[in-house]
Amino acid sequence: MEKALNKLSDILSPIAFKLDANRYLSAVKAGFFGAMSLLIIGSIFLLFANIPIEGYPEFMEGVLGSNWDTYFMVPYNMTMEIMTPFVMVGIAKSLANYYKVDDIGAILLALVSFFILTPSIVTAEGATGIPTLNLSASGLFVGMIAAVLSTEIYRWVIQKGWIIKMPDSVPSNVARSFSALVPGLIVIILFNFVRIGFSFTPYETAHAFIFQILQTPLLALARTLPTTFIIFIFEGLLWSFGIHGSNIIGAVMNPIWLNLTAENAAALKIGAELPNIINAQFYGNFVKIGGAGATLGLALCVLMFAKSQQYKTLGRLAIVPGLFNINEPLIFGLPIVLNPVMIIPFLIMPLLMAGMTYAAMAIDLVPYTNGANIPWTTPPIISGFLLSGWRGAVLQVFQIGVSAVVYYPFFRIIDQKAYKLETDGTDGIEQVEAGAVQATQPTEA
């Protein structure tokens, strides 16, 4: 078993490290992290407009009038419904910082490039506007591509030295404006040619092309349970070797899952049937209960059933972070990393959680998640209620119980070994000190 793990680590580790160090994936992560606070705030307002309590709409109508939901939907529309420009800011800034060029210039050109590619509408009165649909998750892939390409062109032109250099006596803010003229002109001209080129195709716009050729197939694939299983297995394997699998998987999958979440939110907004079981909340709030590997049940086992002193101490340290879906104390303190015994349930649990949640929602036992983009650190049961009502909360209670049942026999094996070593006075097991978790895996008999 150990030889197989070492061999698998030799294969996966270089791939994972390259992905994690990839500047484009890092920029995408930075974009979503930068916009996440706005998306969460917008989702909170969506929740207030759709709290799953019987009689709530009637109560609010009696207090605020028939259009009471507009008090909450306007902030939602100005955050979640126009998320693409917010994400683009972080992507352009991250890439500009990587290349050590002016990030303000990169951000502005990224936004201009995106708006050039975005079709506009003209009203009967002659006013021009941009459809918010293209600014929402539907335009996310175009926005990401525009941010990356515009920043790459911008830095390439600067590195070639094609800029207007002002004398040292000119103030720096004025000099910066002139130095961005040539790179900005080239970026805008190129993106305008792209827009014109698409106008001669059957797709007419870059948005329609990306949506049909790239975005729609990816969304369709991400909706399937087999694809989800493959993703979770890969994430679990990365974690098993001490690599932050969630960061790597998130950089690739977050744009897709968030798009599926936004589709549910849009359907909820107009009272239509919710379309997606699998989305960002399915992953973050129903599969990762307690963190990667669904380890909240394991944290409870360690807290309540540990016989060895080191795991008793670890249980007290791990339970509070576990309630907020943070499980590094268990992953590195138990440890799960490179532990052949604990890797088995760690890989199994996400598949069980995903299958269980998918089945419960598919047969209408539990409502689909409502599209609210609540933080992944929201404690289970609370998150289930906010996303799927009381039935979602009950499902999470059941899932925590399943997690504890699956993890218990595996934890018992390592706990008994640790207890025997402690009672026999054998050296090699370091006690877990308050404020830090460090446990050495017992030597095989």
Side-chain angles (χ1 to χ4, degrees), residues 21 136 152 175 181 186 199 204 214 288 308 395 412 414:
S136 68
E152 285 288 347
L181 280 175
I186 292 174
S199 70
E204 296 185 352
L214 177 63
K288 297 179 66 175
S308 63
L395 172 61
R412 191 167 179 269
I414 63 172

Side-chain angles (χ1 to χ4, degrees), residues 24-69:
Y24 302 118
L25 292 180
S26 297
V28 170
K29 283 191 292 185
F32 278 96
F33 284 146
M36 192 54 64
S37 60
L38 288 178
L39 303 185
I40 290 172
I41 292 169
S43 293
I44 291 172
F45 280 96
L46 179 66
L47 278 175
F48 278 122
N50 297 275
I51 293 178
I53 298 176
E54 187 175 351
Y56 174 75
E58 292 77 11
F59 170 77
M60 294 300 292
E61 184 175 349
V63 174
L64 299 175
S66 58
N67 294 324
W68 66 272
D69 57 337

Side-chain angles (χ1 to χ4, degrees), residues 100-256:
K100 295 181 172 57
V101 296
D102 180 38
D103 54 2
I104 299 297
I107 292 169
L108 293 176
L109 286 175
L111 293 172
V112 170
S113 300
F114 173 72
F115 292 136
I116 288 173
L117 296 179
T118 302
S120 57
I121 55 176
V122 180
T123 67
E125 293 78 18
T128 303
I130 296 176
T132 55
L133 179 66
N134 294 122
L135 304 181
S136 68
S138 297
L140 198 52
F141 281 77
V142 175
M144 291 163 58
I145 294 170
V148 170
L149 290 181
S150 65
T151 306
E152 285 288 347
I153 298 169
Y154 175 67
R155 67 92 183 171
W156 183 81
V157 173
I158 291 175
Q159 290 174 355
K160 285 291 183 180
W162 299 348
I163 58 175
I164 299 174
K165 295 182 179 179
M166 303 297 290
D168 293 338
S169 59
V170 176
S172 59
N173 58 335
V174 177
R176 187 184 299 115
S177 300
F178 277 92
S179 66
L181 280 175
V182 174
L185 179 62
I186 292 174
V187 169
I188 290 173
I189 288 174
L190 289 176
F191 272 86
N192 195 41
F193 275 129
V194 171
R195 179 189 65 82
I196 294 170
F198 274 111
S199 70
F200 291 103
T201 69
Y203 299 101
E204 296 185 352
T205 68
H207 282 266
F209 174 79
I210 294 297
F211 189 80
Q212 293 182 41
I213 299 300
L214 177 63
Q215 193 162 335
T216 299
L218 285 175
L219 292 176
L221 192 62
R223 287 186 179 99
T224 65
L225 197 58
T227 301
T228 305
F229 282 165
I230 293 170
I231 292 167
F232 291 160
I233 290 171
F234 185 65
E235 179 184 18
L237 287 172
L238 292 177
W239 271 115
S240 300
F241 299 115
I243 302 166
H244 202 299
S246 300
N247 274 353
I248 294 171
I249 293 298
V252 178
M253 294 304 301
N254 274 343
I256 300 172

